[in-house]
Every structure is written in C-alpha cells, then in structure tokens.
Amino acid sequence: MNKVRVRFAPSPTGALHIGGVRTALYNYLFAKQHGGDLIFRIEDTDSHRFVPGAEDYILESFKWLGITFDEGVSFGGKYGPYRQSERKDIYKKYVQQLLDNDKAYIAFDTPEQLDAKRTETANFQYDASTRLQMTNSLTLSKDEVEKRIAAGEQYVVRFKIEPGEEVTVHDLIRGDVHINSSILDDKVLYKSVDNLPTYHLANIVDDHLMEVSHVIRGEEWLPSAPLHVLLYRAFGWEETMPQFAHLSLLLKPDGNGKLSKRDGDRLGFPVFPLEWHDPKTGEVSSGYRESGYLPEAVINFLALLGWNPGNDQEIMSMDELIKLFNLEKCSKSGAKFDYEKGKHFNHLYLQKKSDAELAVFVQQKLDERNISAAPQKIEMAVAAMKERATFTKDLWDLCSFFFIAPTEFNEKDVQKRWKEDTHRLLSELLPVLASIPNFDDAEATEETVKAWCEAKGYGLGNVMNPFRLTLVGEMKGPQMFQITKILGKTEVIKRLKFALETIH
Ligand code: GLU
C-alpha cells in the first residue's frame, strides 16, 4: 500500500457537530495506525454558507481533544494552500482540462430558465436526455459561446455524464455499491459568478493533488461517491483513486433517526465539542468542554460509536485506540448516541486523574471568587469528593463547602438533627476539640471524640449529625474526620461556634 494520507475536510459553516468529530477521530486513528498523514483542509467554496469564526472553532476543538494534524490550514505542508478559496487558479486549470476533453460543457441557463423548465417538465433533470434542449456550449456555436462570455454573461460548467455506464464505488465498510450513471444529473462543477468550483470538483482535485489514499467520511456523502468516481475517470486518475469508507450515521439516543442539535437541547447533552456562539443568531449552544467533560473520555466514547474492538474492552486510551481501531470493522448501521454511557466514561476518566490535576478545576473557581487556599487543602478536598463527581464542574459544587463556611443551615436538616440537647452537647464538644493539638491525624481525632462520647454516655449520632451540620451547613460530605482534617482546627472551631450562635 502507498503511504496512507487521509484528510478531514470540513466546510466552515458553523460549529463542528459531534458526528464530524468522530469522522476526524477515525481519520486520525487510521492515519496514526499506518504511520500516515492526516491533512486538515478547509472546503470553503460555498461563500454563502461561510460563517466567520468556524475555522478557529474547529481548530480549537481538535486542540482540546488531542487530535493532531500533520499538515493543512494553520499547520502548513508542501501540498498547500489547504484552504480551497485560495486554490482558485488550480481548479480553473482542471475545469479547462475537462472542457478541452469534452468531459464538461459551458451552460448559460439562468435560474429563471431552469425554474421554467422544472415547471414544464415533471422531475426535470439536467442530463443526457435534456441537455440538448438547453442553452449551453453543446447547443450554441463556438462563436456564440465566446461572444456571450466576452459580454460578461454568467455561466456554469457542467459535468457531461455519459448515460448507461456502470459505476461501482468500492467502500471499505459497505462493500461494492453499484449504480447506473443514467440516474445522475450533469452536476455543476464551476460557477463563473464567483470564479469558484463547486464542492465536487474541488474535493476531487484536492484529494488527487494532495495524494489522499483513503476518503473516510460521513454516510451523507455516499450519494456523491458515484459522481466522484466518474470524475476520477474523466480526469484519467482512476489508478490513484482513493479508497472510500463511508461511516454510518449517529442516531438519536432512542435509535429513531439522525442525531440533531435539537436532540441535544431536548435531552440536555451537548452536540458540539466546545460551546458555540452563533455569530448570526447570537444563540449559544453548549459544548463538551464547558459542560465538564474530559477530552480523553469524549474520545473514548466517540470511538465506540460505530466501532468496537470485538471484545468487552471499553476503556481505551488514544494509544490503545490507535492500535486496535479497524476501519473495515466499522458498523454499516447507525450508531445510537448513548449519552448515559458518555457520562459514565467521564466519571471513570475523572477518577483516573491525579488529585493535583483535578485541583485545577477547583482552583479556577476559587480564583474567580478571590478565595485563597493552600494547594494541599484543595487536593485533599478533591481526593475526598471526586468519587461522587461525573463532570469536572461537579468538583466545585462538591468541594465548595471546604472553602466557604456556611452562613445558613438547611432547614429540614436542622429540624431533623437539632434536638433539645444538641446545643449543650456541642458546647461541651468545643473544649474537647480544643484539647486536640491539631486534626491532621483523622483517626486520632475520631478516637478522642468517640471516647469522650462514650465516657459521657452520649449517643454518637446525636453528636455527629449536628456536628456535620455545623461544618457543612447540611447533611452531606465525606467522613466526618476527613472534614475536620481538611478544614483544620481553627476553622472547625470557628464554624462550630458560629452555628451555636445561629441555630436555635
Ligand atoms: N466538505 C465536506 C464536509 O463538510 C467534506 C466531505 C468529504 O470528506 O469529502 O464534510
């Protein structure tokens, strides 16, 4: 096999959908597995659909996810430029080649004329059966064509598809897909109005010039593939035509239909890698990063949407995925977007992180609130709470009480736990706590407090439950003497005193 060269070629029309991220990931895994190259190409020949900021958004998404490119827009490389709007002259040359070889023709039909034709003929298609009724270089004289162009008339170049040809798309996932060329229309390849090729021509020319070996893309491009095969044929590039692999769709969590942005809004999960601010509508859509996902978990989760290693193994690092991924084993049928599984993965990946790594997420929140805390204390808080966290953002909700003393106490908990003698018991506990040099040894603190309870004949629950309430503000948190250890003696005594003054 020649060197593997694959590409991810988005159109910068908005935020990158999570399905697009999976396509890029599969390209990346395949490239790395074969020691090949992954190219980042921007397909921006449709100027009407261009959205400012989309390209940077896509690049930032991959940076966050750890998907790296070997060449392309912003990465450089010897096949550049990699942005199609910067390759106009290249495409012009290839359009001319098709015209010279009678594989394409110039057409002047205006949108109005085409509309009129569509109303006149049901299921009108611009193809071998109708092209001779239209205004194009096949029906006009050479002089007339030149005159019209010289006079500035706008035109398109159409692909002259010969009818009755068998077209086979060899697909690594789907096997051979056959169609007859008669069903295809004479696709527009180039438009004089913006001097730009259409997606089909630019895509084929670039894949050829960039020596792309495999085209791995979403199933929605499968209908274009026969046309692409015919274009390779028309150019005489069949020998070096890339291998195709069309990935199955991502389906709604219940399996009924294609996953859409609205499903995310409806069911409360992001469909974009990063938060997206739509510059046109001002609408903000949530992203995996901002929702507290770890990139490794997102990668692992996405990798398994439409592929699996053939055994029960589910948790795989990027390196393992590179080793185990198998393009040909990708599923032909759609993959259900099992969002709960994504959450579960995130929880597992979060547990694998060191306390220091996770402390960063709490530190950020402390900084935002101008609260200073010893790094060691933050790490201890994280260690005590991370088991309960699914998302990185949960860490702050779980740990904040270590850094912000309660000013109020949960009413229900007070009603239930604050009994008649509580005030007296906890007031007596104060000097006991004060007598302990410090709370660093959680077991020792526990022993002292328990021994005191026993000696006094106080029920452990009658002391511990309200004690927790005074330190946390409600009945939650880890083991009591973990809390006292992390808070430290001064803070514990301060909180306890405040509660005794406040709760009546
Ligand atoms: N520009 C197309 C897209 O937005 C690329 C399709 C392909 O990979 O050929 O997905």
Side-chain angles (χ1 to χ4, degrees), residues 358-418:
L358 295 178
V360 171
F361 297 99
V362 173
Q363 182 73 60
Q364 270 168 8
K365 300 283 182 180
L366 289 168
D367 291 346
E368 283 168 22
R369 290 164 177 77
N370 278 321
I371 301 172
S372 63
Q376 204 199 353
K377 178 173 170 179
I378 305 176
E379 283 181 34
M380 282 197 292
V382 163
M385 303 308 288
K386 68 177 179 189
E387 210 183 300
R388 304 167 197 213
T390 299
F391 301 114
T392 54
K393 67 169 185 214
D394 297 343
L395 291 167
W396 173 248
D397 296 337
L398 290 164
C399 294
S400 62
F401 78 87
F402 285 112
F403 309 96
I404 302 173
T407 52
E408 288 168 11
F409 300 88
N410 182 290
E411 237 169 81
K412 269 199 190 140
D413 291 338
V414 171
Q415 265 174 20
K416 193 165 167 204
R417 310 288 183 183
W418 205 269

Side-chain angles (χ1 to χ4, degrees), residues 249-270:
L249 288 175
L250 293 189
L251 304 177
K252 294 181 196 299
D254 63 10
N256 288 321
K258 194 178 153 195
L259 178 74
S260 74
K261 188 169 122 33
R262 258 187 288 134
D263 297 315
D265 299 338
R266 187 168 58 91
L267 301 164
F269 60 81

